[in-house]
Amino acid sequence: MPDPAPPATSEDPRTRELMTGLARGLRERGLIRSPHLERAFASTPRHRFVDSFLEPDRSGVAENYGSTVRRETSEARWREAVYANQTLVTAVQGGQPSSSSSMPSIMAAMIEEAGVEPGMRVLEVGTGTGYNAAILAACVGAEGRVCSIENQPDLAERAAARLAEVVPWPVRVHTGDGWQGDAEHAPFDRIIATSSAPRVPAAWLRQLRPAGRVVLDLRGGLAGGLLIVLRETETAFSGRFADPPLGSFMPLQEALPSAYPEVFDRCLSMPAAASHPVPPDLDPERFLEHDSDLLWMVQCQLSPIRFVHYGVLIDGKLRWDVCLFFEREETVLRFAPQDGGGWRVGVLGPALALWDRTLAAYRSWAELGCPVKGRFRWEGTVDGSQWVVLDRPGLPPLKWPL
């Protein structure tokens, strides 16, 4: 099958230069290997999907997305930023990003990992601005089909209008629950999620064609990684994690723990049911430094779990406390640095044994040779049962359910 024709563009010379420069840069970094994907980036105008974006103010403890860069007020700055390899936050809810135009390098890597080819039927979960859907549409061409799901009706409406202006063949955008996929238009050759989830939704597995692939950011409360799932048989699926790992995505709305932050705040108001000195080999700074391989190992054994850190002002000095929140057990482990050095952990909640389990999970990572995320794999079945697996030479594999 011949490569698809790219979406038609009628941009000014400077914009075309920025578009081709973005595509060339991704290819030179090795993130684009397929000619049709390079053509898709070179011919798809990102600025048509991002009229404005929000810039974070990182001067304080919390990010404040109060500064808006608009085309009509800062056109040169806006256009250069749109074609830079960066994530552009386009909407905020409760002080946190709720929609964005993903970083082009991550988009390219995910599409390459998915192996999107001309003529394929692709489901995108998380339409956002519509730019990623436009890239996918340019890859599959007029003989393929892209369906995209967005849970925010206003975003879906705007993205659909922009896609209709830019892409010369239909792209289906509808408002719905991404967890349920799109059974009406299944099966799909590829399913790509531009949002994260703590497990692969069973509906996606059922809606995948034989030898089809799912690509998503599999992410719990501590760590995550880009997972590539392959349908091996009618009922069995296998998966590997991209190495090196890529960036992260905002979670599917339904994936957010329902008990947070209410239960977490209630736990923090309790007196500690137990308190322990933290042994030197467990360094809470590793949580603050986001040591993803270690956190991944801890998460596999203790999920669902959430990492929270916050500043506490004591006698005019800012102290950072580290918390692990266990939603199911309604318990928090709060690590606080001590004036004389070291840390102490308080158990806030009824599950006193969680401290011993956390210590054992932390130490098991070193005992197993500090495995990187790429050493893990994923297994699943069509009913939605799934596991993260770590193979051990000469020993049975370790398996943790999701």
Side-chain angles (χ1 to χ4, degrees):
M1 180 179 297
D3 285 336
T9 60
S10 56
E11 309 303 335
D12 62 85
R14 176 54 184 156
T15 300
R16 288 199 299 271
E17 181 183 338
L18 291 170
M19 292 163 62
T20 56
L22 174 61
R24 183 173 58 251
L26 295 173
R27 174 176 52 78
E28 290 173 349
R29 291 178 57 192
L31 295 166
I32 287 181
R33 302 182 297 276
S34 308
H36 61 270
L37 181 56
E38 183 176 359
R39 283 195 295 272
F41 273 97
S43 61
T44 304
R46 192 185 191 194
H47 69 277
R48 299 278 195 94
F49 297 90
V50 185
D51 296 325
S52 63
F53 60 91
L54 296 155
E55 285 189 321
D57 175 8
R58 301 181 186 276
S59 60
V61 172
E63 290 185 340
N64 175 25
Y65 289 87
S67 176
T68 303
V69 178
R70 302 181 186 277
R71 177 178 186 172
E72 57 268 27
T73 56
S74 309
E75 181 166 1
R77 180 182 171 202
W78 162 81
R79 194 175 297 267
E80 295 291 332
V82 163
Y83 287 102
N85 182 37
Q86 63 183 24
T87 299
L88 300 174
V89 175
T90 55
V92 172
Q93 289 182 351
Q96 295 296 318
S98 60
S99 182
S100 67
S101 178
S102 300
M103 185 180 293
S105 58
I106 296 179
M107 292 169 51
M110 291 183 74
I111 294 171
E112 287 285 14
E113 289 285 5
V116 175
E117 298 287 346
M120 283 186 169
R121 195 175 192 87
V122 178
L123 173 65
E124 178 195 44
V125 180
T127 313
T129 65
Y131 178 57
N132 192 67
I135 295 289
L136 291 170
C139 288
V140 303
E143 296 184 12
R145 184 70 186 273
V146 173
C147 300
S148 188
I149 305 172
E150 173 57 54
N151 69 346
Q152 299 183 53
D154 56 333
L155 294 182
E157 183 178 355
R158 285 200 297 270
R162 290 164 176 163
L163 285 162
E165 294 173 356
V166 171
V167 181
W169 41 81
V171 176
R172 181 180 187 271
V173 178
H174 77 281
T175 303
D177 179 1
W179 278 89
Q180 302 306 315
D182 187 356
E184 180 182 353
H185 297 88
F188 297 98
D189 299 291
R190 302 290 187 262
I191 299 176
I192 297 179
T194 61
S195 48
S196 66
R199 62 201 319 273
V200 184
W204 300 4
L205 300 177
R206 292 192 299 269
Q207 293 168 20
L208 201 60
R209 278 184 173 147
R213 298 181 198 172
V214 175
V215 177
L216 84 155
D217 177 25
L218 188 77
R219 185 164 300 273
L222 294 186
L226 188 68
L227 174 66
I228 301 94
V229 171
L230 174 67
R231 185 163 200 165
E232 301 277 5
T233 68
E234 189 67 25
T235 59
F237 302 77
S238 65
R240 62 177 178 84
F241 292 93
D243 191 19
L246 300 174
S248 60
F249 288 89
M250 290 174 281
L252 278 170
Q253 189 170 26
E254 292 77 11
L256 292 171
S258 59
Y260 181 83
E262 291 81 5
V263 176
F264 176 78
D265 290 341
R266 187 170 72 243
C267 289
L268 286 188
S269 68
M270 300 177 181
S275 179
H276 309 275
V278 177
D281 65 316
L282 195 158
D283 182 5
E285 293 283 356
R286 301 285 286 273
F287 293 102
L288 289 173
E289 294 166 1
H290 300 288
D291 190 330
S292 63
D293 293 326
L294 168 61
L295 298 183
W296 177 257
M297 188 72 186
V298 172
Q299 176 179 281
C300 284
Q301 299 177 64
L302 298 176
S303 193
I305 183 174
R306 177 186 280 262
F307 164 67
V308 183
H309 69 101
Y310 58 93
V312 179
L313 199 61
I314 300 178
D315 297 330
K317 296 181 179 180
L318 185 65
R319 185 188 80 187
W320 285 98
D321 284 3
V322 176
C323 292
L324 297 179
F325 171 50
F326 299 82
E327 178 182 359
R328 188 163 45 219
E329 293 85 356
E330 298 191 356
T331 297
V332 169
L333 299 183
R334 182 169 62 191
F335 298 85
Q338 302 301 290
D339 292 337
W343 295 72
R344 195 164 186 89
V345 60
V347 183
L348 287 71
L352 301 183
L354 279 175
W355 166 236
D356 289 333
R357 290 177 55 201
T358 301
L359 188 58
Y362 189 102
R363 287 172 170 166
S364 70
W365 183 68
E367 293 165 358
L368 290 166
C370 304
V372 298
K373 203 173 303 164
R375 276 191 53 196
F376 293 78
R377 57 186 177 86
W378 177 96
E379 292 180 357
T381 59
V382 75
D383 67 356
S385 301
Q386 48 197 277
W387 302 264
V388 171
V389 183
L390 178 63
D391 292 311
R392 299 180 294 171
L395 294 171
L398 297 173
K399 298 180 70 171
W400 298 280
L402 292 174

